[in-house]
Amino acid sequence: ETLGNILENNEVILNEGDVLNVDVAATIFDGMNVFIKRAFGVGIECDGKAITLSIAEGTVADALKAAGITLGERLWSDIVAPSLDTELDDYTHIEIQRVTFGTLVETEEIEFSTKRVEDSSLTVGNKNVTTEGVNGEMSVTYNAKYIDGVLVEKTVVSKEIIKAPVDEVISVGTKKVNTLSATTYSTPSSLSIFTLISPVKAPLSAQ
């Protein structure tokens, strides 16, 4: 008689993931010790999906293998929590974040500069924009790192100017203006003229 027959006759049900220390097809014998390790549920989140795996023992790596989940070619790149060597229990919840790398090309603006040039034809204090400034464009190539499709890091590989910026040129006046100084003379509003007349003595009479 096999172990499977004994379990069935005794209504011992094996659930998915349960582990026996003896194969169910083994022939029983007196003194045989049979142990059943019951499976528990382990939650796994990966690639936008959530699954529950029934497993009785092992590590996180064993759970991923049982679930048919493979990591990237660079095993250290995908983020697995808890770590692959963590022993499983019925509280284990595994999260996997996919890490990928690629090339990213972006067009960036180059701001124009402003130059000031002295102009003797303009008076001091005046200025004039003789050349309008125009921003340029630059192509920047990056090595990009993505976690679950979201850009998290980028490193510059090369830069190439597509369109050079045009500097703004401002003419600043240096010509001095001659000024005339005026002297003002004030006159009194009224002028009084006095004539001084000396008194005339009367002639002396003859005695």
Side-chain angles (χ1 to χ4, degrees):
E1 192 172 14
T2 65
L3 175 59
N5 298 138
I6 295 297
L7 294 177
E8 184 177 355
N9 293 336
N10 288 274
E11 297 183 350
V12 177
I13 300 173
L14 294 177
N15 298 314
E16 181 183 356
D18 288 347
V19 175
L20 282 168
N21 66 322
V22 179
D23 191 280
V24 292
T27 302
I28 63 170
F29 54 86
D30 289 339
M32 175 184 282
N33 291 318
V34 178
F35 301 98
I36 302 175
K37 187 174 288 187
R38 293 295 186 181
F40 49 84
V42 172
I44 303 176
E45 288 187 34
C46 179
D47 300 328
K49 299 177 182 179
I51 64 174
T52 300
L53 173 71
S54 293
I55 191 168
E57 59 185 1
T59 63
V60 169
D62 295 324
L64 298 184
K65 183 178 180 180
I69 296 174
T70 58
L71 300 178
E73 293 181 2
R74 288 183 280 183
L75 296 180
W76 63 88
S77 63
D78 286 343
I79 301 171
V80 181
S83 61
L84 292 172
D85 58 357
T86 301
E87 291 291 332
L88 300 172
D89 58 37
D90 54 356
Y91 298 103
T92 303
H93 183 82
I94 304 170
E95 293 185 11
I96 300 172
Q97 293 177 294
R98 297 296 193 184
V99 179
T100 54
F101 299 87
T103 300
L104 177 65
V105 179
E106 294 181 345
T107 300
E108 298 181 4
E109 192 173 68
I110 307 173
E111 293 187 359
F112 64 81
S113 301
T114 299
K115 294 183 178 180
R116 297 178 181 274
V117 179
E118 293 184 348
D119 189 339
S120 60
S121 66
L122 293 175
T123 56
V124 174
N126 290 325
K127 60 183 180 180
N128 184 36
V129 177
T130 54
T131 303
E132 294 287 346
V134 180
N135 289 334
E137 290 184 352
M138 177 171 55
S139 176
V140 184
T141 302
Y142 297 92
N143 279 334
K145 177 181 179 180
Y146 301 86
I147 296 180
D148 285 341
V150 178
L151 177 66
V152 295
E153 184 181 321
K154 59 182 182 179
T155 305
V156 176
V157 176
S158 63
K159 296 181 179 181
E160 180 182 358
I161 295 177
I162 301 172
K163 183 177 70 173
V166 177
D167 290 340
E168 178 185 56
V169 179
I170 299 177
S171 296
V172 180
T174 59
K175 182 179 180 180
K176 295 181 179 180
V177 178
N178 295 324
T179 57
L180 296 176
S181 59
T183 303
T184 304
Y185 297 91
S186 59
T187 56
S189 57
S190 61
L191 179 64
S192 298
I193 300 176
F194 297 90
T195 303
L196 179 62
I197 302 175
S198 300
V200 178
K201 295 182 178 181
L204 295 175
S205 59
Q207 298 187 359

